[in-house]
Amino acid sequence: MDTHSLSTLNPRLCSSSIPRRRKPSHHSIPSYIGFSSVITPTQRLAPPSFNASAGGAALWRLKTGGSELNRLRSSSNDGRFIVGLDGTPEPSFVEFITSERVKVVAMLALALALCNADRVVMSVAIVPISQLRGWGPSFSGVVQSSFLWGYLISPIAGGTLVDRYGGKVVMAWGVALWSLATFLTPWAAESSLLALLATRMLLGIAEGVALPCMNNMIARWFPQTERSRAVGLAMAGFQLGSAIGLTLSPILMSQAGIYGPFVIFGLFGFLWLLVWVSATSSSPDRSPQISKFELRYIQSTASVPSISKSRAETSKGIPPFRRLLSKLPTWSLIVANAMHSWGFFVILSWMPIYFKMIYHVDLRHAAWFSAIPWSMMALTGYLAGVFSDMMIQRGISVTLTRKIMQSIGFCGPALALVCLTTARSPFVASSWLTVAVGLKAFSHCGFLVNLQEIAPQYSGVLHGMSNTGGTLAAIIGTVGAGFFVELVGSFKGFLLLTSFLYLSAAVFYNVYSTGERVNFDDETSA
């Protein structure tokens, strides 16, 4: 049946009482920042069924690839969805920003903001604490790395728990524990060095589950064509947490003492926990607030099994670690995460000290200069997600899209850090650091989303494995930077080494990564 006959099946639907839209060209299909409106040529239309409700339904046409598709806008309470003739609802921009899945990613962004704020407080507080205790740069690096000792322990176990029980439960326990550790840090610091190191380790153990939980929740709540920008939104909160922690900590310290920020950020974590437990669900099919149309839309594009199916699969035994590690795409993710963590923790831990030592700025200005780049990273991370989704929607393969994003995310910071070593003023140095950290956000749409694609059923444990590699690299980088500065007397050589490692990791990822699903369940393929 051709499109002309479709439009003339019922003359009443074409009367002047029902608004119509002119046929746009294929260049003018409306798209929204918040969702995908792609119609693939392989879609089959069901036989037309028209039912004009009392409220009226707007019939309008889209022209895609030379063919016209008639659509009805639902006039129900879920009218923010555009319902196709095949019965599949597609979201409008209004639906997207008011949907349950966006509420979930907003809560994830807040959790990650608290996660990063809690860890960066020590990056600022370590300066006065070191002066009081008489610690040198190398020992200060050891104290800061104690967070990573705990962070090394939990990702694999936490990722396994996430795959089995879902992100909501594991994230709730994680936030509860890391908020408690943050709140108790002042007491631990005044008690003994051992208590301080133990508290920082507990913080690392608890925060090790945050990113696997984020990946699990987004994989269950978002279709692939919305997933990059969902990760971008969540990670924007993560980077804003760095900016908030670095900016507010000196102010809070001046008003409430050295340990004031630890108490305040810890209390905010408990407040977030109350909202998370009462207002979110592990998956769309368990949410009492979700509309039936949004649930149908998510389920029709789902690539991850439900919680019950996932639990049934993981209950058969431990994850297939040997088969996971036997594939080069897994190692491409581990190498990418390792380099990402190396650069992230070196910049996060040492930039306030860098600006104080190299440019002789006071603590408050040092924190401010090092906080600006993280604000830029939050913005560029979301924009990278939008561009990544657009590339996939326009037919570029997932594999090529991930490699392009990862190349920008590693090669850009490598070149910017080289330029940073030549800066002669704190303003110029902060500008190059902003470029480096801003471009680094593109890697979130590379390896970080790629974790969900090659093994959605093992995304939690795979993220945990790659995080473990990343944590080892972060420990070496954080501690190594301190010893390097004491031996050489300058950060510049260490920044050049970091640039070289960025370029090497980009090459490895581009050679061995893939955006296609990898079969890890076939024992003969190990």
Side-chain angles (χ1 to χ4, degrees):
M1 181 180 293
D2 59 22
T3 56
H4 176 72
S5 59
L6 282 174
S7 62
T8 57
L9 281 175
N10 193 337
R12 293 184 179 182
L13 290 176
C14 298
S15 65
S16 60
S17 62
I18 297 178
R20 299 183 61 180
R21 293 179 66 171
R22 294 181 180 178
K23 305 174 185 177
S25 67
H26 65 280
H27 298 292
S28 60
I29 297 175
S31 61
Y32 306 94
I33 292 179
F35 76 102
S36 162
S37 59
V38 172
I39 304 169
T40 63
T42 58
Q43 287 179 305
R44 301 295 183 191
L45 292 179
S49 175
F50 300 102
N51 183 16
S53 64
L59 178 66
W60 50 293
R61 298 178 180 177
L62 292 176
K63 187 174 182 181
T64 306
S67 63
E68 296 179 15
L69 299 175
N70 292 311
R71 297 195 156 188
L72 287 171
R73 181 181 292 275
S74 171
S75 59
S76 68
N77 292 334
D78 297 286
R80 291 167 296 183
F81 274 90
I82 300 170
V83 183
L85 292 178
D86 61 352
T88 302
E90 294 185 8
S92 68
F93 177 69
V94 174
E95 184 282 327
F96 181 82
I97 62 175
T98 58
S99 64
E100 284 301 311
R101 61 191 186 279
V102 167
K103 294 176 186 176
V104 169
V105 81
M107 288 298 295
L108 289 171
L110 287 174
L112 295 182
L114 287 170
C115 175
N116 229 13
D118 287 351
R119 78 173 62 163
V120 304
V121 171
M122 185 58 75
S123 300
V124 179
I126 194 66
V127 177
I129 291 176
S130 297
Q131 293 174 348
L132 289 175
R133 303 290 194 274
W135 297 340
S138 59
F139 194 78
S140 297
V142 172
V143 173
Q144 293 203 75
S145 70
S146 61
F147 163 85
L148 295 169
W149 305 347
Y151 201 74
L152 180 65
I153 298 173
S154 61
I156 295 179
T160 303
L161 291 174
V162 168
D163 288 337
R164 180 174 175 81
Y165 296 106
K168 177 183 177 179
V169 174
V170 180
M171 180 68 94
W173 278 103
V175 174
L177 289 175
W178 86 53
S179 298
L180 179 63
T182 303
F183 185 79
L184 292 178
T185 297
W187 167 83
E190 293 297 323
S191 297
S192 66
L193 176 61
L194 183 60
L196 176 60
L197 296 178
T199 305
R200 295 295 295 175
M201 281 188 64
L202 177 60
L203 178 69
I205 291 172
E207 290 197 358
V209 305
L211 292 181
C213 286
M214 180 272 292
N215 243 329
N216 177 274
M217 293 290 284
I218 287 178
R220 297 187 186 283
W221 277 89
F222 286 83
Q224 188 177 57
T225 50
E226 293 180 354
R227 203 167 289 165
S228 291
R229 71 199 69 187
V231 170
L233 286 170
M235 295 305 294
F238 193 69
Q239 313 312 333
L240 286 175
S242 300
I244 292 170
L246 290 170
T247 304
L248 291 184
S249 291
I251 300 174
L252 295 174
M253 288 167 60
S254 65
Q255 299 296 321
I258 296 176
Y259 301 115
F262 295 97
V263 175
I264 293 173
F265 288 139
L267 292 175
F268 269 110
F270 291 119
L271 179 61
W272 177 94
L273 183 61
L274 294 176
V275 180
W276 176 258
V277 171
S278 61
T280 59
S281 302
S282 288
S283 60
D285 57 348
R286 293 189 169 193
S287 173
Q289 291 91 11
I290 194 170
S291 70
K292 61 180 181 180
F293 286 100
E294 183 181 3
L295 178 61
R296 184 179 177 187
Y297 168 69
I298 296 172
Q299 290 178 336
S300 67
T301 54
S303 61
V304 180
S306 65
I307 297 291
S308 59
K309 291 182 180 179
S310 177
R311 186 173 299 175
E313 292 175 359
T314 56
S315 63
K316 296 178 182 178
I318 62 175
F321 291 110
R322 183 174 63 87
R323 292 197 296 274
L324 288 170
L325 290 171
S326 69
K327 306 290 187 180
L328 284 173
T330 300
W331 285 101
S332 72
L333 296 174
I334 293 174
V335 169
N337 201 331
M339 190 60 241
H340 182 77
S341 297
W342 173 293
F344 179 85
F345 282 99
V346 165
I347 294 174
L348 190 67
S349 301
W350 287 102
M351 282 304 102
I353 301 176
Y354 176 81
F355 277 95
K356 182 176 177 62
M357 291 182 62
I358 303 299
Y359 302 107
H360 308 292
V361 297
D362 62 37
L363 178 60
R364 183 175 300 185
H365 289 155
W368 172 254
F369 277 118
S370 56
I372 294 175
W374 303 109
S375 301
M376 177 60 67
M377 192 176 188
L379 175 62
T380 56
Y382 176 72
L383 294 178
V386 173
F387 295 147
S388 178
D389 286 344
M390 288 175 59
M391 291 170 67
I392 295 174
Q393 293 165 14
R394 294 182 179 181
I396 299 176
S397 71
V398 175
T399 298
L400 181 58
T401 299
R402 301 301 173 224
K403 290 182 178 182
I404 291 174
M405 294 292 112
Q406 194 63 54
S407 297
I408 298 173
F410 276 1
C411 296
L415 297 176
L417 287 179
V418 172
C419 296
L420 173 61
T421 62
T422 66
R424 298 183 179 274
S425 70
F427 177 79
V428 175
S430 181
S431 299
W432 281 119
L433 186 62
T434 300
V435 172
V437 175
L439 293 177
K440 180 178 168 63
F442 279 76
S443 63
H444 296 160
C445 299
F447 83 93
L448 195 56
V449 184
N450 201 195
L451 288 162
Q452 306 166 9
E453 294 163 340
I454 70 169
Q457 75 277 33
Y458 299 120
S459 63
V461 67
L462 191 60
H463 199 155
M465 292 167 61
S466 66
N467 257 13
T468 299
T471 304
L472 285 172
I475 291 174
I476 296 172
T478 303
V479 177
F483 283 100
F484 190 94
V485 171
E486 283 198 348
L487 292 174
V488 180
S490 173
F491 276 96
K492 292 185 178 181
F494 197 81
L495 292 177
L496 293 175
L497 172 62
T498 300
S499 297
F500 173 75
L501 293 176
Y502 264 129
L503 294 174
S504 301
V507 172
F508 191 92
Y509 184 87
N510 276 280
V511 173
Y512 295 114
S513 65
T514 179
E516 304 300 322
R517 186 163 181 170
V518 178
N519 183 11
F520 291 111
D521 294 319
D522 184 3
E523 296 185 4
T524 61
S525 65

